[in-house]
Amino acid sequence: MDHIKAIAFDLYGTLFDVHSVVARCDEHFPGRGREISNLWRQKQLEYTWLRSLMNRYVTFEHATEDALRYTCKHLGLDLDDDVCKALCDAYLRLLPFPEVPETLPELRRRGLKLAVLSNGSPHSIGAVVGHAGLVGEFDHLLSVDPVRVYKPDDRAYRLAEQAFGVTRSSILFVSSNAWDATGARYFGFPTCWINRAGNVFEEMGQAPDWEVRGLDELLRLYDVSGAARGQR
Amino acid sequence: MDHIKAIAFDLYGTLFDVHSVVARCDEHFPGRGREISNLWRQKQLEYTWLRSLMNRYVTFEHATEDALRYTCKHLGLDLDDDVCKALCDAYLRLLPFPEVPETLPELRRRGLKLAVLSNGSPHSIGAVVGHAGLVGEFDHLLSVDPVRVYKPDDRAYRLAEQAFGVTRSSILFVSSNAWDATGARYFGFPTCWINRAGNVFEEMGQAPDWEVRGLDELLRLYDVSGAARGQR
């Protein structure tokens, strides 16, 4: 890992827990929070992929609201406009995974440039990262919105290469989403998969270069690699 | 519906039941057939969408096998090569939905041209349609393989317009997959959604022009429309 100069992080599910909306869903639909959150996330992803393929981009907030409306209809739950807005707003205040706030400054101390590269709109990314007080940890907050297509399209990954201004092979891409880590590796980023839940990786012809259980493990990997470099 | 000159049908899930592989899965993994079939289908679709977005096309058979391997790993089931081949081969002998074989000739008798437009490879489409003895019912069996991208990319839908040689607004696209009916309608096909299971439609900014519970209902819709035309 000693050739890495910068790290681009996926946001949703990687640095921030998308299922931190479960409690808000449970307030409005008691006992259904987990079920709603799971299907909502699945549909949110599907809608970003399908709209990209159909060349019918809408913002991530729009796709997220559409996915919630589908989810409630599918589950037979009555979603009025106020509840819809309250639940979508919860997506702007997701919680970071516990080890994230302490690990980011440690990575910066090692001289690495950091960026978020997310399907979220600039507004959503700013709101989520700002709510957690982490804006100052990043050199760039990159949204796919300027290219109007979602990951895993190459045009999305290229944004990180352009922002850092270094070759893609020196940018580590970190994601908990195996499909995202797959797309990033096809693009040419070395890739680390954060596998907090003990899942299996996608079968699309790529494997991650590194697999960790949390962001703090990435720090150890980097230090071991740095120590190895120092010994040479 | 009296402006319709031709019909393009989706194959998997629309004319043929993808879950007719449940019994074969149950033979090898007793009691797990439905669970395997559901996840296998979900992953098969995801892999076609994601590979299209990543510009990393592989054949439908390849994506189908990858999806099965993921499914078994995810469910903790040991899949040896022989069982993998046996289950993938079951996808070449899917059963048509019960009303399909009797309805297709009725549509032809009304002067309509018929085609399959499928994500499947030419080999898969030929095998599935041939196994059911329905090859003679179609004017065209169209695979996305020549354009190396999957539905709902416009390049896939264009194949039907080119094959029929008539304007897209006179080609009815029939699918049970709501995402497929959405993509087809964005392309410009009038669209009929076969909703056998009583599902809700996707929330991606389109609604189908017609919704039916089975292919035989399409026949009634057409006759009512034809009768209306005759009365004018």
Side-chain angles (χ1 to χ4, degrees), chain B residues 192-226:
Chain B
C192 178
W193 182 41
I194 303 188
N195 183 16
R196 292 188 180 86
N199 287 327
V200 298
F201 201 73
E202 300 290 0
E203 295 279 329
M204 285 191 287
Q206 290 286 354
D209 297 285
W210 294 277
E211 177 179 337
V212 296
R213 286 293 177 125
L215 199 60
D216 44 341
E217 269 188 45
L218 179 62
L219 209 57
R220 281 202 291 279
L221 273 180
Y222 187 81
D223 289 346
V224 167
S225 155

PDB file of all heavy atoms in Angstrom, chain B residues 192-226:
ATOM      1  N   CYS B 192     -47.206  -2.640 -22.379  1.00  0.00           N
ATOM      2  CA  CYS B 192     -48.161  -3.400 -21.567  1.00  0.00           C
ATOM      3  C   CYS B 192     -47.392  -4.162 -20.497  1.00  0.00           C
ATOM      4  O   CYS B 192     -46.455  -4.901 -20.794  1.00  0.00           O
ATOM      5  CB  CYS B 192     -48.942  -4.374 -22.458  1.00  0.00           C
ATOM      6  SG  CYS B 192     -50.096  -5.399 -21.525  1.00  0.00           S
ATOM      7  N   TRP B 193     -47.814  -3.973 -19.258  1.00  0.00           N
ATOM      8  CA  TRP B 193     -47.179  -4.662 -18.120  1.00  0.00           C
ATOM      9  C   TRP B 193     -48.035  -5.864 -17.731  1.00  0.00           C
ATOM     10  O   TRP B 193     -49.217  -5.705 -17.403  1.00  0.00           O
ATOM     11  CB  TRP B 193     -47.060  -3.696 -16.947  1.00  0.00           C
ATOM     12  CG  TRP B 193     -46.387  -4.266 -15.730  1.00  0.00           C
ATOM     13  CD1 TRP B 193     -45.293  -5.073 -15.689  1.00  0.00           C
ATOM     14  CD2 TRP B 193     -46.758  -4.029 -14.361  1.00  0.00           C
ATOM     15  NE1 TRP B 193     -44.954  -5.354 -14.382  1.00  0.00           N
ATOM     16  CE2 TRP B 193     -45.840  -4.728 -13.552  1.00  0.00           C
ATOM     17  CE3 TRP B 193     -47.771  -3.283 -13.743  1.00  0.00           C
ATOM     18  CZ2 TRP B 193     -45.922  -4.718 -12.162  1.00  0.00           C
ATOM     19  CZ3 TRP B 193     -47.844  -3.276 -12.365  1.00  0.00           C
ATOM     20  CH2 TRP B 193     -46.925  -3.981 -11.584  1.00  0.00           C
ATOM     21  N   ILE B 194     -47.451  -7.049 -17.804  1.00  0.00           N
ATOM     22  CA  ILE B 194     -48.157  -8.243 -17.329  1.00  0.00           C
ATOM     23  C   ILE B 194     -47.848  -8.403 -15.847  1.00  0.00           C
ATOM     24  O   ILE B 194     -46.727  -8.733 -15.464  1.00  0.00           O
ATOM     25  CB  ILE B 194     -47.736  -9.515 -18.081  1.00  0.00           C
ATOM     26  CG1 ILE B 194     -47.973  -9.341 -19.584  1.00  0.00           C
ATOM     27  CG2 ILE B 194     -48.524 -10.718 -17.558  1.00  0.00           C
ATOM     28  CD1 ILE B 194     -47.764 -10.617 -20.381  1.00  0.00           C
ATOM     29  N   ASN B 195     -48.835  -8.160 -15.033  1.00  0.00           N
ATOM     30  CA  ASN B 195     -48.657  -8.161 -13.577  1.00  0.00           C
ATOM     31  C   ASN B 195     -49.382  -9.360 -12.971  1.00  0.00           C
ATOM     32  O   ASN B 195     -50.437  -9.231 -12.361  1.00  0.00           O
ATOM     33  CB  ASN B 195     -49.200  -6.832 -13.019  1.00  0.00           C
ATOM     34  CG  ASN B 195     -48.995  -6.719 -11.523  1.00  0.00           C
ATOM     35  OD1 ASN B 195     -48.200  -7.458 -10.935  1.00  0.00           O
ATOM     36  ND2 ASN B 195     -49.713  -5.795 -10.899  1.00  0.00           N
ATOM     37  N   ARG B 196     -48.796 -10.538 -13.166  1.00  0.00           N
ATOM     38  CA  ARG B 196     -49.455 -11.767 -12.700  1.00  0.00           C
ATOM     39  C   ARG B 196     -49.537 -11.839 -11.178  1.00  0.00           C
ATOM     40  O   ARG B 196     -50.440 -12.437 -10.623  1.00  0.00           O
ATOM     41  CB  ARG B 196     -48.691 -13.001 -13.202  1.00  0.00           C
ATOM     42  CG  ARG B 196     -48.770 -13.199 -14.711  1.00  0.00           C
ATOM     43  CD  ARG B 196     -48.169 -14.535 -15.127  1.00  0.00           C
ATOM     44  NE  ARG B 196     -48.262 -14.704 -16.575  1.00  0.00           N
ATOM     45  CZ  ARG B 196     -47.371 -14.259 -17.446  1.00  0.00           C
ATOM     46  NH1 ARG B 196     -46.304 -13.606 -17.015  1.00  0.00           N
ATOM     47  NH2 ARG B 196     -47.537 -14.441 -18.739  1.00  0.00           N
ATOM     48  N   ALA B 197     -48.556 -11.245 -10.489  1.00  0.00           N
ATOM     49  CA  ALA B 197     -48.458 -11.444  -9.037  1.00  0.00           C
ATOM     50  C   ALA B 197     -49.115 -10.333  -8.228  1.00  0.00           C
ATOM     51  O   ALA B 197     -49.093 -10.363  -6.996  1.00  0.00           O
ATOM     52  CB  ALA B 197     -46.986 -11.564  -8.651  1.00  0.00           C
ATOM     53  N   GLY B 198     -49.719  -9.347  -8.892  1.00  0.00           N
ATOM     54  CA  GLY B 198     -50.327  -8.251  -8.141  1.00  0.00           C
ATOM     55  C   GLY B 198     -49.292  -7.354  -7.478  1.00  0.00           C
ATOM     56  O   GLY B 198     -49.484  -6.889  -6.351  1.00  0.00           O
ATOM     57  N   ASN B 199     -48.184  -7.095  -8.164  1.00  0.00           N
ATOM     58  CA  ASN B 199     -47.136  -6.218  -7.633  1.00  0.00           C
ATOM     59  C   ASN B 199     -47.469  -4.744  -7.864  1.00  0.00           C
ATOM     60  O   ASN B 199     -48.440  -4.427  -8.539  1.00  0.00           O
ATOM     61  CB  ASN B 199     -45.793  -6.541  -8.307  1.00  0.00           C
ATOM     62  CG  ASN B 199     -45.218  -7.854  -7.797  1.00  0.00           C
ATOM     63  OD1 ASN B 199     -45.401  -8.207  -6.635  1.00  0.00           O
ATOM     64  ND2 ASN B 199     -44.527  -8.579  -8.672  1.00  0.00           N
ATOM     65  N   VAL B 200     -46.640  -3.858  -7.294  1.00  0.00           N
ATOM     66  CA  VAL B 200     -46.760  -2.434  -7.619  1.00  0.00           C
ATOM     67  C   VAL B 200     -45.686  -2.097  -8.653  1.00  0.00           C
ATOM     68  O   VAL B 200     -44.630  -2.722  -8.699  1.00  0.00           O
ATOM     69  CB  VAL B 200     -46.622  -1.526  -6.363  1.00  0.00           C
ATOM     70  CG1 VAL B 200     -47.740  -1.829  -5.386  1.00  0.00           C
ATOM     71  CG2 VAL B 200     -45.273  -1.690  -5.684  1.00  0.00           C
ATOM     72  N   PHE B 201     -45.989  -1.115  -9.498  1.00  0.00           N
ATOM     73  CA  PHE B 201     -45.074  -0.739 -10.580  1.00  0.00           C
ATOM     74  C   PHE B 201     -43.903   0.056 -10.012  1.00  0.00           C
ATOM     75  O   PHE B 201     -44.014   0.664  -8.952  1.00  0.00           O
ATOM     76  CB  PHE B 201     -45.837   0.092 -11.619  1.00  0.00           C
ATOM     77  CG  PHE B 201     -45.184   0.110 -12.974  1.00  0.00           C
ATOM     78  CD1 PHE B 201     -45.209  -1.005 -13.790  1.00  0.00           C
ATOM     79  CD2 PHE B 201     -44.542   1.264 -13.439  1.00  0.00           C
ATOM     80  CE1 PHE B 201     -44.608  -0.993 -15.053  1.00  0.00           C
ATOM     81  CE2 PHE B 201     -43.934   1.285 -14.692  1.00  0.00           C
ATOM     82  CZ  PHE B 201     -43.969   0.162 -15.506  1.00  0.00           C
ATOM     83  N   GLU B 202     -42.787   0.064 -10.732  1.00  0.00           N
ATOM     84  CA  GLU B 202     -41.622   0.846 -10.296  1.00  0.00           C
ATOM     85  C   GLU B 202     -41.932   2.347 -10.336  1.00  0.00           C
ATOM     86  O   GLU B 202     -42.722   2.807 -11.150  1.00  0.00           O
ATOM     87  CB  GLU B 202     -40.408   0.575 -11.216  1.00  0.00           C
ATOM     88  CG  GLU B 202     -39.947  -0.867 -11.274  1.00  0.00           C
ATOM     89  CD  GLU B 202     -39.285  -1.356  -9.989  1.00  0.00           C
ATOM     90  OE1 GLU B 202     -39.175  -0.593  -9.024  1.00  0.00           O
ATOM     91  OE2 GLU B 202     -38.897  -2.541  -9.973  1.00  0.00           O
ATOM     92  N   GLU B 203     -41.243   3.084  -9.472  1.00  0.00           N
ATOM     93  CA  GLU B 203     -41.421   4.545  -9.388  1.00  0.00           C
ATOM     94  C   GLU B 203     -40.256   5.237 -10.098  1.00  0.00           C
ATOM     95  O   GLU B 203     -39.384   5.818  -9.465  1.00  0.00           O
ATOM     96  CB  GLU B 203     -41.470   4.971  -7.913  1.00  0.00           C
ATOM     97  CG  GLU B 203     -42.656   4.454  -7.142  1.00  0.00           C
ATOM     98  CD  GLU B 203     -43.918   5.288  -7.367  1.00  0.00           C
ATOM     99  OE1 GLU B 203     -43.792   6.501  -7.589  1.00  0.00           O
ATOM    100  OE2 GLU B 203     -45.020   4.714  -7.315  1.00  0.00           O
ATOM    101  N   MET B 204     -40.274   5.155 -11.431  1.00  0.00           N
ATOM    102  CA  MET B 204     -39.185   5.798 -12.170  1.00  0.00           C
ATOM    103  C   MET B 204     -39.721   6.738 -13.249  1.00  0.00           C
ATOM    104  O   MET B 204     -39.108   6.898 -14.305  1.00  0.00           O
ATOM    105  CB  MET B 204     -38.250   4.748 -12.771  1.00  0.00           C
ATOM    106  CG  MET B 204     -37.351   4.099 -11.706  1.00  0.00           C
ATOM    107  SD  MET B 204     -36.024   3.094 -12.410  1.00  0.00           S
ATOM    108  CE  MET B 204     -36.956   1.672 -12.980  1.00  0.00           C
ATOM    109  N   GLY B 205     -40.881   7.339 -12.969  1.00  0.00           N
ATOM    110  CA  GLY B 205     -41.373   8.397 -13.854  1.00  0.00           C
ATOM    111  C   GLY B 205     -42.141   7.924 -15.071  1.00  0.00           C
ATOM    112  O   GLY B 205     -42.400   8.720 -15.982  1.00  0.00           O
ATOM    113  N   GLN B 206     -42.513   6.650 -15.124  1.00  0.00           N
ATOM    114  CA  GLN B 206     -43.327   6.117 -16.208  1.00  0.00           C
ATOM    115  C   GLN B 206     -44.390   5.205 -15.622  1.00  0.00           C
ATOM    116  O   GLN B 206     -44.178   4.600 -14.568  1.00  0.00           O
ATOM    117  CB  GLN B 206     -42.481   5.296 -17.199  1.00  0.00           C
ATOM    118  CG  GLN B 206     -41.527   6.095 -18.054  1.00  0.00           C
ATOM    119  CD  GLN B 206     -42.227   6.877 -19.156  1.00  0.00           C
ATOM    120  OE1 GLN B 206     -43.433   6.758 -19.373  1.00  0.00           O
ATOM    121  NE2 GLN B 206     -41.454   7.711 -19.836  1.00  0.00           N
ATOM    122  N   ALA B 207     -45.519   5.111 -16.329  1.00  0.00           N
ATOM    123  CA  ALA B 207     -46.531   4.102 -16.004  1.00  0.00           C
ATOM    124  C   ALA B 207     -46.811   3.345 -17.296  1.00  0.00           C
ATOM    125  O   ALA B 207     -46.660   3.906 -18.386  1.00  0.00           O
ATOM    126  CB  ALA B 207     -47.801   4.762 -15.475  1.00  0.00           C
ATOM    127  N   PRO B 208     -47.190   2.067 -17.212  1.00  0.00           N
ATOM    128  CA  PRO B 208     -47.481   1.342 -18.453  1.00  0.00           C
ATOM    129  C   PRO B 208     -48.769   1.860 -19.085  1.00  0.00           C
ATOM    130  O   PRO B 208     -49.657   2.356 -18.398  1.00  0.00           O
ATOM    131  CB  PRO B 208     -47.648  -0.103 -17.970  1.00  0.00           C
ATOM    132  CG  PRO B 208     -48.067   0.009 -16.538  1.00  0.00           C
ATOM    133  CD  PRO B 208     -47.409   1.255 -16.004  1.00  0.00           C
ATOM    134  N   ASP B 209     -48.873   1.755 -20.407  1.00  0.00           N
ATOM    135  CA  ASP B 209     -50.115   2.149 -21.084  1.00  0.00           C
ATOM    136  C   ASP B 209     -51.232   1.179 -20.750  1.00  0.00           C
ATOM    137  O   ASP B 209     -52.390   1.576 -20.658  1.00  0.00           O
ATOM    138  CB  ASP B 209     -49.871   2.188 -22.596  1.00  0.00           C
ATOM    139  CG  ASP B 209     -48.842   3.237 -22.969  1.00  0.00           C
ATOM    140  OD1 ASP B 209     -49.186   4.428 -22.941  1.00  0.00           O
ATOM    141  OD2 ASP B 209     -47.681   2.868 -23.240  1.00  0.00           O
ATOM    142  N   TRP B 210     -50.879  -0.100 -20.616  1.00  0.00           N
ATOM    143  CA  TRP B 210     -51.864  -1.112 -20.248  1.00  0.00           C
ATOM    144  C   TRP B 210     -51.278  -2.017 -19.171  1.00  0.00           C
ATOM    145  O   TRP B 210     -50.071  -2.244 -19.149  1.00  0.00           O
ATOM    146  CB  TRP B 210     -52.262  -1.969 -21.461  1.00  0.00           C
ATOM    147  CG  TRP B 210     -52.993  -1.195 -22.505  1.00  0.00           C
ATOM    148  CD1 TRP B 210     -54.326  -0.891 -22.527  1.00  0.00           C
ATOM    149  CD2 TRP B 210     -52.423  -0.602 -23.690  1.00  0.00           C
ATOM    150  NE1 TRP B 210     -54.626  -0.141 -23.647  1.00  0.00           N
ATOM    151  CE2 TRP B 210     -53.478   0.057 -24.378  1.00  0.00           C
ATOM    152  CE3 TRP B 210     -51.142  -0.549 -24.241  1.00  0.00           C
ATOM    153  CZ2 TRP B 210     -53.293   0.748 -25.570  1.00  0.00           C
ATOM    154  CZ3 TRP B 210     -50.947   0.129 -25.423  1.00  0.00           C
ATOM    155  CH2 TRP B 210     -52.016   0.765 -26.078  1.00  0.00           C
ATOM    156  N   GLU B 211     -52.141  -2.514 -18.313  1.00  0.00           N
ATOM    157  CA  GLU B 211     -51.713  -3.489 -17.302  1.00  0.00           C
ATOM    158  C   GLU B 211     -52.685  -4.655 -17.344  1.00  0.00           C
ATOM    159  O   GLU B 211     -53.904  -4.470 -17.318  1.00  0.00           O
ATOM    160  CB  GLU B 211     -51.728  -2.844 -15.904  1.00  0.00           C
ATOM    161  CG  GLU B 211     -51.372  -3.827 -14.803  1.00  0.00           C
ATOM    162  CD  GLU B 211     -51.354  -3.201 -13.402  1.00  0.00           C
ATOM    163  OE1 GLU B 211     -51.192  -1.961 -13.290  1.00  0.00           O
ATOM    164  OE2 GLU B 211     -51.523  -3.956 -12.433  1.00  0.00           O
ATOM    165  N   VAL B 212     -52.137  -5.856 -17.445  1.00  0.00           N
ATOM    166  CA  VAL B 212     -52.981  -7.053 -17.513  1.00  0.00           C
ATOM    167  C   VAL B 212     -52.474  -8.083 -16.518  1.00  0.00           C
ATOM    168  O   VAL B 212     -51.349  -7.991 -16.035  1.00  0.00           O
ATOM    169  CB  VAL B 212     -53.004  -7.666 -18.938  1.00  0.00           C
ATOM    170  CG1 VAL B 212     -53.634  -6.709 -19.941  1.00  0.00           C
ATOM    171  CG2 VAL B 212     -51.596  -8.074 -19.376  1.00  0.00           C
ATOM    172  N   ARG B 213     -53.322  -9.086 -16.231  1.00  0.00           N
ATOM    173  CA  ARG B 213     -52.930 -10.154 -15.303  1.00  0.00           C
ATOM    174  C   ARG B 213     -52.342 -11.366 -16.019  1.00  0.00           C
ATOM    175  O   ARG B 213     -51.783 -12.256 -15.390  1.00  0.00           O
ATOM    176  CB  ARG B 213     -54.158 -10.591 -14.472  1.00  0.00           C
ATOM    177  CG  ARG B 213     -54.571  -9.609 -13.403  1.00  0.00           C
ATOM    178  CD  ARG B 213     -53.505  -9.532 -12.318  1.00  0.00           C
ATOM    179  NE  ARG B 213     -53.834  -8.549 -11.304  1.00  0.00           N
ATOM    180  CZ  ARG B 213     -53.897  -8.809  -9.990  1.00  0.00           C
ATOM    181  NH1 ARG B 213     -53.669 -10.026  -9.549  1.00  0.00           N
ATOM    182  NH2 ARG B 213     -54.172  -7.849  -9.142  1.00  0.00           N
ATOM    183  N   GLY B 214     -52.503 -11.401 -17.335  1.00  0.00           N
ATOM    184  CA  GLY B 214     -51.964 -12.521 -18.105  1.00  0.00           C
ATOM    185  C   GLY B 214     -52.028 -12.168 -19.583  1.00  0.00           C
ATOM    186  O   GLY B 214     -52.710 -11.204 -19.975  1.00  0.00           O
ATOM    187  N   LEU B 215     -51.323 -12.953 -20.408  1.00  0.00           N
ATOM    188  CA  LEU B 215     -51.228 -12.624 -21.822  1.00  0.00           C
ATOM    189  C   LEU B 215     -52.591 -12.701 -22.505  1.00  0.00           C
ATOM    190  O   LEU B 215     -52.881 -11.945 -23.447  1.00  0.00           O
ATOM    191  CB  LEU B 215     -50.244 -13.589 -22.503  1.00  0.00           C
ATOM    192  CG  LEU B 215     -49.688 -13.149 -23.844  1.00  0.00           C
ATOM    193  CD1 LEU B 215     -48.937 -11.841 -23.729  1.00  0.00           C
ATOM    194  CD2 LEU B 215     -48.774 -14.231 -24.418  1.00  0.00           C
ATOM    195  N   ASP B 216     -53.463 -13.611 -22.018  1.00  0.00           N
ATOM    196  CA  ASP B 216     -54.791 -13.754 -22.629  1.00  0.00           C
ATOM    197  C   ASP B 216     -55.615 -12.469 -22.501  1.00  0.00           C
ATOM    198  O   ASP B 216     -56.413 -12.141 -23.377  1.00  0.00           O
ATOM    199  CB  ASP B 216     -55.534 -14.957 -22.024  1.00  0.00           C
ATOM    200  CG  ASP B 216     -55.405 -15.027 -20.509  1.00  0.00           C
ATOM    201  OD1 ASP B 216     -54.479 -14.386 -19.947  1.00  0.00           O
ATOM    202  OD2 ASP B 216     -56.221 -15.710 -19.875  1.00  0.00           O
ATOM    203  N   GLU B 217     -55.386 -11.715 -21.428  1.00  0.00           N
ATOM    204  CA  GLU B 217     -56.105 -10.436 -21.272  1.00  0.00           C
ATOM    205  C   GLU B 217     -55.712  -9.444 -22.357  1.00  0.00           C
ATOM    206  O   GLU B 217     -56.513  -8.573 -22.738  1.00  0.00           O
ATOM    207  CB  GLU B 217     -55.788  -9.809 -19.910  1.00  0.00           C
ATOM    208  CG  GLU B 217     -56.740 -10.206 -18.814  1.00  0.00           C
ATOM    209  CD  GLU B 217     -56.491  -9.392 -17.556  1.00  0.00           C
ATOM    210  OE1 GLU B 217     -56.330  -8.159 -17.649  1.00  0.00           O
ATOM    211  OE2 GLU B 217     -56.437 -10.009 -16.475  1.00  0.00           O
ATOM    212  N   LEU B 218     -54.498  -9.539 -22.823  1.00  0.00           N
ATOM    213  CA  LEU B 218     -54.025  -8.652 -23.893  1.00  0.00           C
ATOM    214  C   LEU B 218     -54.880  -8.851 -25.134  1.00  0.00           C
ATOM    215  O   LEU B 218     -55.222  -7.886 -25.847  1.00  0.00           O
ATOM    216  CB  LEU B 218     -52.552  -8.978 -24.185  1.00  0.00           C
ATOM    217  CG  LEU B 218     -51.857  -8.196 -25.278  1.00  0.00           C
ATOM    218  CD1 LEU B 218     -51.803  -6.714 -24.947  1.00  0.00           C
ATOM    219  CD2 LEU B 218     -50.430  -8.720 -25.469  1.00  0.00           C
ATOM    220  N   LEU B 219     -55.232 -10.100 -25.374  1.00  0.00           N
ATOM    221  CA  LEU B 219     -56.079 -10.458 -26.514  1.00  0.00           C
ATOM    222  C   LEU B 219     -57.426  -9.741 -26.414  1.00  0.00           C
ATOM    223  O   LEU B 219     -57.929  -9.170 -27.390  1.00  0.00           O
ATOM    224  CB  LEU B 219     -56.283 -11.977 -26.459  1.00  0.00           C
ATOM    225  CG  LEU B 219     -56.521 -12.764 -27.706  1.00  0.00           C
ATOM    226  CD1 LEU B 219     -55.411 -12.583 -28.711  1.00  0.00           C
ATOM    227  CD2 LEU B 219     -56.595 -14.263 -27.314  1.00  0.00           C
ATOM    228  N   ARG B 220     -58.013  -9.758 -25.230  1.00  0.00           N
ATOM    229  CA  ARG B 220     -59.306  -9.088 -25.039  1.00  0.00           C
ATOM    230  C   ARG B 220     -59.179  -7.585 -25.246  1.00  0.00           C
ATOM    231  O   ARG B 220     -60.013  -6.961 -25.877  1.00  0.00           O
ATOM    232  CB  ARG B 220     -59.850  -9.393 -23.633  1.00  0.00           C
ATOM    233  CG  ARG B 220     -60.499 -10.765 -23.519  1.00  0.00           C
ATOM    234  CD  ARG B 220     -61.461 -10.844 -22.351  1.00  0.00           C
ATOM    235  NE  ARG B 220     -60.797 -10.797 -21.067  1.00  0.00           N
ATOM    236  CZ  ARG B 220     -60.220 -11.869 -20.487  1.00  0.00           C
ATOM    237  NH1 ARG B 220     -60.220 -13.038 -21.092  1.00  0.00           N
ATOM    238  NH2 ARG B 220     -59.646 -11.751 -19.303  1.00  0.00           N
ATOM    239  N   LEU B 221     -58.092  -7.015 -24.701  1.00  0.00           N
ATOM    240  CA  LEU B 221     -57.854  -5.575 -24.886  1.00  0.00           C
ATOM    241  C   LEU B 221     -57.784  -5.236 -26.368  1.00  0.00           C
ATOM    242  O   LEU B 221     -58.358  -4.249 -26.823  1.00  0.00           O
ATOM    243  CB  LEU B 221     -56.513  -5.166 -24.260  1.00  0.00           C
ATOM    244  CG  LEU B 221     -56.455  -4.794 -22.791  1.00  0.00           C
ATOM    245  CD1 LEU B 221     -55.024  -4.432 -22.422  1.00  0.00           C
ATOM    246  CD2 LEU B 221     -57.391  -3.619 -22.507  1.00  0.00           C
ATOM    247  N   TYR B 222     -57.079  -6.073 -27.112  1.00  0.00           N
ATOM    248  CA  TYR B 222     -56.896  -5.819 -28.534  1.00  0.00           C
ATOM    249  C   TYR B 222     -58.227  -5.919 -29.273  1.00  0.00           C
ATOM    250  O   TYR B 222     -58.548  -5.096 -30.121  1.00  0.00           O
ATOM    251  CB  TYR B 222     -55.883  -6.799 -29.127  1.00  0.00           C
ATOM    252  CG  TYR B 222     -55.531  -6.467 -30.545  1.00  0.00           C
ATOM    253  CD1 TYR B 222     -54.608  -5.482 -30.840  1.00  0.00           C
ATOM    254  CD2 TYR B 222     -56.174  -7.103 -31.599  1.00  0.00           C
ATOM    255  CE1 TYR B 222     -54.303  -5.137 -32.142  1.00  0.00           C
ATOM    256  CE2 TYR B 222     -55.874  -6.776 -32.910  1.00  0.00           C
ATOM    257  CZ  TYR B 222     -54.940  -5.790 -33.178  1.00  0.00           C
ATOM    258  OH  TYR B 222     -54.658  -5.457 -34.471  1.00  0.00           O
ATOM    259  N   ASP B 223     -59.020  -6.928 -28.926  1.00  0.00           N
ATOM    260  CA  ASP B 223     -60.298  -7.119 -29.613  1.00  0.00           C
ATOM    261  C   ASP B 223     -61.260  -5.979 -29.319  1.00  0.00           C
ATOM    262  O   ASP B 223     -61.969  -5.507 -30.206  1.00  0.00           O
ATOM    263  CB  ASP B 223     -60.919  -8.459 -29.214  1.00  0.00           C
ATOM    264  CG  ASP B 223     -60.145  -9.630 -29.820  1.00  0.00           C
ATOM    265  OD1 ASP B 223     -59.336  -9.384 -30.732  1.00  0.00           O
ATOM    266  OD2 ASP B 223     -60.342 -10.765 -29.361  1.00  0.00           O
ATOM    267  N   VAL B 224     -61.285  -5.520 -28.067  1.00  0.00           N
ATOM    268  CA  VAL B 224     -62.143  -4.387 -27.707  1.00  0.00           C
ATOM    269  C   VAL B 224     -61.734  -3.162 -28.518  1.00  0.00           C
ATOM    270  O   VAL B 224     -62.555  -2.460 -29.097  1.00  0.00           O
ATOM    271  CB  VAL B 224     -62.041  -4.086 -26.189  1.00  0.00           C
ATOM    272  CG1 VAL B 224     -62.676  -2.740 -25.872  1.00  0.00           C
ATOM    273  CG2 VAL B 224     -62.703  -5.200 -25.396  1.00  0.00           C
ATOM    274  N   SER B 225     -60.413  -2.952 -28.592  1.00  0.00           N
ATOM    275  CA  SER B 225     -59.888  -1.814 -29.343  1.00  0.00           C
ATOM    276  C   SER B 225     -60.231  -1.956 -30.823  1.00  0.00           C
ATOM    277  O   SER B 225     -60.641  -1.008 -31.488  1.00  0.00           O
ATOM    278  CB  SER B 225     -58.373  -1.748 -29.131  1.00  0.00           C
ATOM    279  OG  SER B 225     -57.757  -1.090 -30.200  1.00  0.00           O
ATOM    280  N   GLY B 226     -60.076  -3.192 -31.377  1.00  0.00           N
ATOM    281  CA  GLY B 226     -60.396  -3.442 -32.774  1.00  0.00           C
ATOM    282  C   GLY B 226     -61.869  -3.231 -33.049  1.00  0.00           C
ATOM    283  O   GLY B 226     -62.250  -2.623 -34.059  1.00  0.00           O
TER     284      GLY B 226
END
